[in-house]
C-alpha cells in the first residue's frame, strides 16, 4: 500500500513540484524520484484524520481532483475556537532542523453562506503531541479545485510522526472539500 501511495504521488510530481515553487526536473523519471524523496506524508484524502465532529466524515469519490478522492467537511455553525473541527495528516519520515518544508494541498468550497469564499481558518504545520505551530496561514477557498501552499522551516529536528499538517475549519458555516495533501521536505 505504501508503495502504491509513493508511486501514485510520484506520477503527479511535476504539477506539485511546480506548485510548490520549484521547477520540474528534466525527465519524468528523475522528477518522480525527486518527488518521492521529498514527500514525507501519505497524501491521499483517505489518510486525512478528521476530528471534532460526532460522526467523522469519510473520503468520497471525486474524479475532478488528484487521486479521485476528497474529504468533505461540513461546518453547521462557526465557533470562536475554530480549531475544534478539522483534519490532520502526520509526517511519516523524520525532519532535520532547518529543513525547508512545504505543505501543498487541494481544496475547494463546496457550499458557503451567501456564496462567500470558503474559509480555511488556519492551515498549519504543527509539532505534536503537544500542539505548537511552526508556521501557519489562513486561506480563502474558491468553489473550483485549486492547489494552495504554505512553507516554512523546521525549528528543530523531528522524528517521523512528530509533525502534522492541520486544517482548522470551524470559522464559517460552510462545506469544504480537502483533496490530497502533500508535505514536502526540500532539505537545507
Amino acid at each position: 500500500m505504501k508503495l502504491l501511495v509513493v508511486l501514485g504521488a510520484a506520477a503527479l510530481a511535476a504539477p506539485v513540484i511546480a506548485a510548490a515553487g520549484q521547477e520540474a526536473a528534466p525527465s519524468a523519471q528523475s522528477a518522480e524520484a525527486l518527488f518521492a524523496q521529498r514527500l514525507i506524508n501519505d497524501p491521499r484524502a483517505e489518510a486525512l484524520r478528521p476530528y471534532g465532529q460526532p460522526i467523522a466524515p469519510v473520503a468520497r469519490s471525486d474524479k475532478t481532483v488528484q487521486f479521485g478522492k476528497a474529504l468533505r467537511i461540513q461546518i453547521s455553525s462557526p465557533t470562536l475556537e475554530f480549531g475544534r473541527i478539522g483534519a490532520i495528516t502526520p509526517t511519516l519520515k523524520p525532519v532535520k532542523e532547518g529543513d525547508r518544508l512545504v505543505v501543498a494541498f487541494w481544496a475547494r468550497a463546496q457550499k458557503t453562506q451567501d456564496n462567500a469564499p470558503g474559509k480555511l481558518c488556519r492551515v498549519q504545520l504543527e509539532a505534536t503531541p503537544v500542539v505548537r505551530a511552526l508556521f501557519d496561514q489562513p486561506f480563502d477557498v474558491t468553489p473550483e479545485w485549486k492547489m494552495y501552499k504554505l512553507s516554512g522551516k523546521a525549528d528543530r529536528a523531528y522524528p517521523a510522526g512528530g509533525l502534522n499538517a492541520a486544517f482548522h475549519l470551524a470559522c464559517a458555516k460552510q462545506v469544504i472539500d480537502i483533496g490530497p495533501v502533500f508535505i514536502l521536505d526540500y532539505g537545507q
Side-chain angles (χ1 to χ4, degrees):
M1 182 60 131
K2 187 175 183 179
L3 178 62
L4 271 174
V5 170
V6 171
L7 291 176
L12 301 165
V16 175
I17 290 171
Q22 301 293 317
E23 291 185 26
S27 75
Q29 187 174 17
S30 62
E32 291 171 5
L34 182 61
F35 185 77
Q37 282 180 321
R38 291 182 173 162
L39 183 65
I40 61 172
N41 75 311
D42 182 343
R44 300 169 308 127
E46 302 96 296
L48 287 168
R49 299 177 183 169
Y51 64 86
Q53 296 183 311
I55 300 174
V58 295
R60 54 192 299 138
S61 292
D62 186 331
K63 296 185 187 305
T64 62
V65 69
Q66 278 183 336
F67 305 137
K69 297 271 185 172
L71 184 68
R72 179 166 288 170
I73 300 175
Q74 182 172 343
I75 310 298
S76 53
S77 60
T79 69
L80 292 176
E81 297 178 51
F82 56 77
R84 287 200 171 268
I85 299 174
I88 62 166
T89 180
T91 56
L92 301 174
K93 296 179 183 177
V95 171
K96 294 177 185 167
E97 181 177 350
D99 280 0
R100 182 171 161 260
L101 304 170
V102 173
V103 179
F105 60 94
W106 289 98
R108 73 173 174 183
Q110 182 62 22
K111 184 178 177 183
T112 61
Q113 197 168 12
D114 302 325
N115 293 322
K119 300 282 185 199
L120 300 182
C121 319
R122 180 181 295 154
V123 177
Q124 66 187 32
L125 191 69
E126 62 187 22
T128 184
V130 177
V131 175
R132 178 181 51 81
L134 274 64
F135 51 89
D136 61 74
Q137 181 179 334
F139 289 91
D140 285 344
V141 180
T142 67
E144 296 80 34
W145 281 112
K146 181 178 170 185
M147 182 172 273
Y148 300 86
K149 71 170 184 135
L150 69 155
S151 63
K153 288 193 175 193
D155 61 339
R156 62 178 181 83
Y158 291 92
L163 296 172
N164 291 324
F167 297 81
H168 303 297
L169 305 171
C171 60
K173 184 176 179 179
Q174 60 188 349
V175 177
I176 296 289
D177 287 345
I178 300 174
V181 177
F182 303 89
I183 306 175
L184 304 166
D185 186 340
Y186 284 88
Q188 302 293 309

